[in-house]
Amino acid sequence: MTELAPAPTSLPGARSASRQTAGTVRVDHDDLLRFTAEVFTAHGIPPERAKAAATALCHGDITGTTSHGLVNLTRIYLPLLTSGRARADAEPRVLADRGATVLLDGQGALGLWLAGEAMDLAVRRAAEYGIGLVSVRGGTHFGCAGPHALRAVEHDMVGVVASNCGHQRIARPPGGRVPMLGTNPLSVAAPAGENPPFLLDMSTTTVPTGKVRAAARAGDEVPEGWLADDAGAAVTDPTRFDGGEAHLTWLGGSGSAQYKGFGLALMVEVLAALVPGAGLGPSQAALAVDGAPDDNIGYLVLAIAPAALRQPGIYQREAGSLFGALLACPPVEPGGEVSYPGVPESRQAERSRRDGVPLGDGLFTELSALAGRLGVAPPAVC
């Protein structure tokens, strides 16, 4: 992955010590989105698409999934644009249209907005047919899968998003010596009545690469089970991953349980890449450990409209009952609570809107320096 030169250690302008807490700076939620959109616009992305890209990227910081947030702005997305691997002026092209299903060529567009536009198209088709499937090839990295799936929830629909990693190969098949697949993330988002939306957003490996690299940057060890060496022994030093001395483990753990994650990754490879004709990880080239980049990524983007299939309102009532019952489940620990995927993210997003989005000092320094280079205002500190 291409990285820019290290960020400068000083900021253009000082901020008071009272605004710093344990190495964290809180910035205004809306102004962070404004700043990020202006950065993308400065790199040639049309304004509305730049706003969509900013919303998708900042989702990570706003909801607490910082490994997939703005830390990747200068490490993944701007290098994609400046190198030409992602095209700022790309215009997706429809290759096949069968009503409820569409095959789309992303033409190398920035995945942060491309996946969202694909979901919007899927939603429009689902409103007519009850289901809408947009199969995408020619995409690039789209960050967290969750915000793209959540776009369906805004229309009272269920959203499903999955992506392979193009030709990039990160994880090994069980018992294999060379990487053959990507982390192949998938997400499902669903309305939950009056409760926070259900949002499952996961990699098919135990953790995504972003969490390993975040630990390496922080100088922290990772828990046993994230990484393993060639002999299968646990590795806790995250720097050994990019050093080629450790590899990601599959969701499910060791032994036969690892086939759960591996099987899900293969499922994503089939649905998100083999179906639309995107770049595949498993190939003869993989046997040579060629280190191919994550170009020509494929997406599965699906919207399901319960109201088109059942009497309107019934789904929402039943969803409210289902997820409400989970929240009401008695906890084991006194004072504890039972939750479901999407609730912690929703609560953190509320705090971010109210109190500001927490950014690490180092990241804020980096973003402020980037703002200075581009001539845009840095995000305002709360």
Side-chain angles (χ1 to χ4, degrees):
M1 180 187 302
T2 305
E3 297 203 10
L4 300 183
T9 56
S10 60
L11 293 180
R15 62 183 192 280
S16 67
S18 64
R19 289 178 175 173
Q20 304 178 51
T21 305
T24 298
V25 180
R26 288 192 175 271
V27 299
D28 180 80
H29 174 279
D30 292 346
D31 203 52
L32 184 64
L33 293 174
R34 184 273 312 161
F35 159 78
T36 309
E38 289 184 2
V39 169
F40 284 128
T41 301
H43 284 78
I45 303 293
E48 287 305 311
R49 286 173 168 169
K51 290 179 183 178
T55 300
L57 181 57
C58 292
H59 171 89
D61 300 282
I62 290 168
T63 62
T65 314
T66 57
S67 62
H68 284 58
L70 281 159
V71 69
N72 293 321
L73 179 61
T74 62
R75 290 171 175 81
I76 295 179
Y77 301 107
L78 298 189
L80 278 175
L81 290 166
T82 56
S83 68
R85 288 177 54 212
R87 292 175 47 205
D89 63 346
E91 194 59 49
R93 185 162 63 98
V94 174
L95 301 179
D97 189 337
R98 301 294 181 264
T101 60
V102 176
L103 174 61
L104 195 67
D105 188 335
Q107 302 282 304
L110 192 67
L112 288 168
W113 65 257
L114 173 63
E117 287 198 8
M119 179 56 80
D120 292 346
L121 175 57
V123 163
R124 292 195 296 272
R125 298 306 173 90
E128 183 175 357
Y129 298 101
I131 191 167
L133 169 64
V134 178
S135 194
V136 182
R137 69 190 191 201
T140 61
H141 199 290
F142 65 24
C144 293
H148 309 300
L150 279 170
R151 292 172 81 102
V153 175
E154 296 173 7
H155 300 273
D156 294 330
M157 297 184 188
V158 177
V160 181
V161 174
S163 168
N164 85 328
C165 293
H167 293 297
Q168 187 178 41
R169 294 172 268 272
I170 302 169
R172 306 175 178 189
R177 186 179 298 176
V178 298
M180 301 285 280
L181 287 165
T183 55
N184 289 18
L186 63 94
S187 178
V188 180
E194 297 300 318
N195 306 298
F198 168 72
L199 178 61
L200 176 68
D201 189 351
M202 54 176 271
S203 65
T204 53
T205 48
T206 303
V207 291
T209 58
K211 287 193 174 183
V212 175
R213 290 178 172 133
R217 287 192 296 271
D220 297 332
E221 289 193 339
V222 298
E224 289 190 7
W226 285 20
L227 299 171
D229 63 16
D230 287 346
V235 172
T236 59
D237 178 358
T239 64
R240 294 180 62 186
F241 173 68
D242 278 328
E245 300 173 353
H247 58 87
L248 290 175
T249 60
W250 291 107
L251 188 68
S254 59
S256 61
Q258 66 187 311
Y259 281 88
K260 296 179 181 179
F262 176 59
L264 285 171
L266 278 175
M267 177 194 76
V268 170
E269 196 78 17
V270 169
L271 296 177
L274 190 60
V275 169
L280 298 174
S283 67
Q284 289 300 311
L287 303 179
V289 196
D290 60 350
D294 58 344
D295 292 329
N296 192 14
I297 292 175
Y299 313 150
L300 166 78
V301 181
L302 176 67
I304 303 169
L309 305 172
R310 304 176 64 191
Q311 183 178 346
I314 290 180
Y315 170 89
Q316 285 288 11
R317 290 196 297 272
E318 293 183 352
S321 177
L322 185 160
F323 290 102
L326 290 172
L327 294 176
C329 180
V332 172
E333 297 292 335
E337 64 177 356
V338 176
S339 185
Y340 58 81
V343 172
E345 294 85 351
S346 178
R347 291 176 179 171
Q348 179 59 41
E350 289 179 9
R351 288 190 290 269
S352 292
R353 286 189 288 269
R354 183 186 66 236
D355 304 327
V357 182
L359 301 178
D361 265 341
L363 176 57
F364 184 75
T365 299
E366 182 180 303
L367 299 179
S368 296
L370 176 64
R373 292 196 297 272
L374 296 177
V376 303
V381 176
C382 294

